[in-house]
Amino acid sequence: MSQLRYGPRPVADTTDGKVPNREVAATKIGAWSTSLTATFLTDPEVIAAVLPPPLEPPAEPMVKVSISRVDLGGGRAPFGAGTFAVAARHRDTEGYYPLLMPMTTEQAVIGGRETFGEPKKLADITLETVPEQSSGSAVRGLVTRMGVGIIELDGTLGDELDPPPSGERLDYYLKFLRDPGGAGFDDDPWLVYCTRETETRSHRAANVALTLRESRFDPVADIPILGPVTATLSERRSQQAGRLVERVPAADVLPYAHQRYDDVSPVDTRK
């Protein structure tokens, strides 16, 4: 009988004793992406309300939104990716805590959620630029979930900018799984530090309008936009590394589990 493809497979030998993980390996490829990124200030009380312990509000209540097209190369089709994140701090570090990371492929969702604890969900994502004779190039990014365009960036491209220097940025994730017996989580969650070494090869200003809407499971419209929206269109690549930092009591995180899992509790249609 030929080998069954669902049967056991040999585990590659490693010199450091670690079992190979395809998700971790994929994040070290350094794939190039085209990203439309916008930042804006919001209400500091809103930031404080959405951050689970042990994360704390930052000095500046910043929100970062990105809509990207990622090219893995090797003949594989590009996929869409997005991030909706709020600034946060932990101990003596500062970074961002994503509330939503929409992706267009199942592989991108499952790998990121199960390995790093990223709040990834399937969505439709488009990012396009269209040359216009009178006003330069138009740019538009759209994230759609449950039939609603929840995040929309629409405007025109401006001047070419000097690419920012290569550097490291930090995101915070909370990694957990639900208890199959229905008793909250199966263990205390982990706080994960995810660092990304980023290189940018092109960087252009963008004058865009940001529109936030809400689907049944994605209340991004609750985050007020206070002040101007600053945006850029960049070509960049990054290599990421994650590490477990500390255990967090399950009771502290359970009220925030809906940020990562759609709450499909029955809706009372009588209301």
Side-chain angles (χ1 to χ4, degrees):
M1 182 176 65
S2 61
Q3 182 178 357
L4 293 174
R5 286 174 288 180
Y6 275 117
R9 298 180 181 181
V11 177
D13 294 330
T14 60
T15 57
D16 55 8
K18 295 181 179 180
V19 177
N21 183 307
R22 292 188 177 183
E23 176 64 22
V24 172
T27 61
K28 298 185 183 301
I29 292 175
W32 286 100
S33 65
T34 301
S35 299
L36 181 60
T37 302
T39 59
F40 62 90
L41 291 174
T42 191
D43 186 336
E45 293 185 0
V46 169
I47 297 282
V50 301
L51 291 176
L55 301 179
E56 297 179 333
E60 190 173 41
M62 187 70 69
V63 181
K64 179 172 63 176
V65 180
S66 68
I67 299 175
S68 304
R69 184 175 59 251
V70 183
D71 186 0
L72 293 174
R76 290 167 290 187
F79 67 91
T83 300
F84 188 89
V86 298
R89 63 184 179 90
H90 177 247
R91 298 177 183 167
D92 59 349
T93 66
E94 293 187 356
Y96 276 90
Y97 173 69
L99 297 173
L100 173 66
M101 296 179 70
M103 301 281 145
T104 59
T105 66
E106 180 186 24
Q107 291 78 12
V109 169
I110 292 176
R113 284 173 60 162
E114 295 184 357
T115 302
F116 295 95
E118 296 169 321
K120 290 185 172 180
K121 299 180 180 182
L122 280 172
D124 294 321
I125 298 174
T126 58
L127 176 62
E128 57 187 359
T129 58
V130 180
E132 295 183 352
Q133 294 182 352
S134 59
S135 58
S137 294
V139 62
R140 184 172 187 260
L142 180 66
V143 176
T144 302
R145 288 201 82 232
M146 309 298 170
V148 179
I150 58 173
I151 303 171
E152 183 175 358
L153 287 164
D154 193 11
T156 58
L157 295 176
D159 295 334
E160 293 283 350
L161 305 173
D162 291 332
S166 299
E168 186 177 274
R169 55 192 177 95
L170 174 64
D171 283 338
Y172 305 112
Y173 305 128
L174 286 164
K175 183 177 181 180
F176 55 84
L177 290 173
R178 292 189 181 275
D179 180 354
F185 302 142
D186 58 11
D187 204 347
D188 285 336
W190 279 99
L191 174 65
V192 175
Y193 278 16
C194 183
T195 55
R196 290 181 175 84
E197 290 284 348
T198 302
E199 173 190 357
T200 304
R201 67 182 178 188
S202 71
H203 198 52
R204 191 169 177 180
N207 180 19
V208 300
L210 169 62
T211 304
L212 301 178
R213 305 182 183 92
E214 62 180 278
S215 74
R216 175 184 170 189
F217 303 119
D218 309 288
V220 292
D222 285 357
I223 312 299
I225 302 172
L226 304 180
V229 174
T230 302
T232 57
L233 182 72
S234 305
E235 292 184 11
R236 63 190 182 208
R237 65 180 177 185
S238 61
Q239 295 181 327
Q240 78 177 47
R243 65 183 177 94
L244 304 174
V245 175
E246 65 178 52
R247 287 281 194 182
V248 182
D252 288 349
V253 179
L254 192 58
Y256 300 88
H258 64 91
Q259 293 176 344
R260 200 172 85 184
Y261 293 113
D262 290 345
D263 183 359
V264 292
S265 302
V267 176
D268 188 348
T269 57
R270 295 171 299 177
K271 295 181 179 180

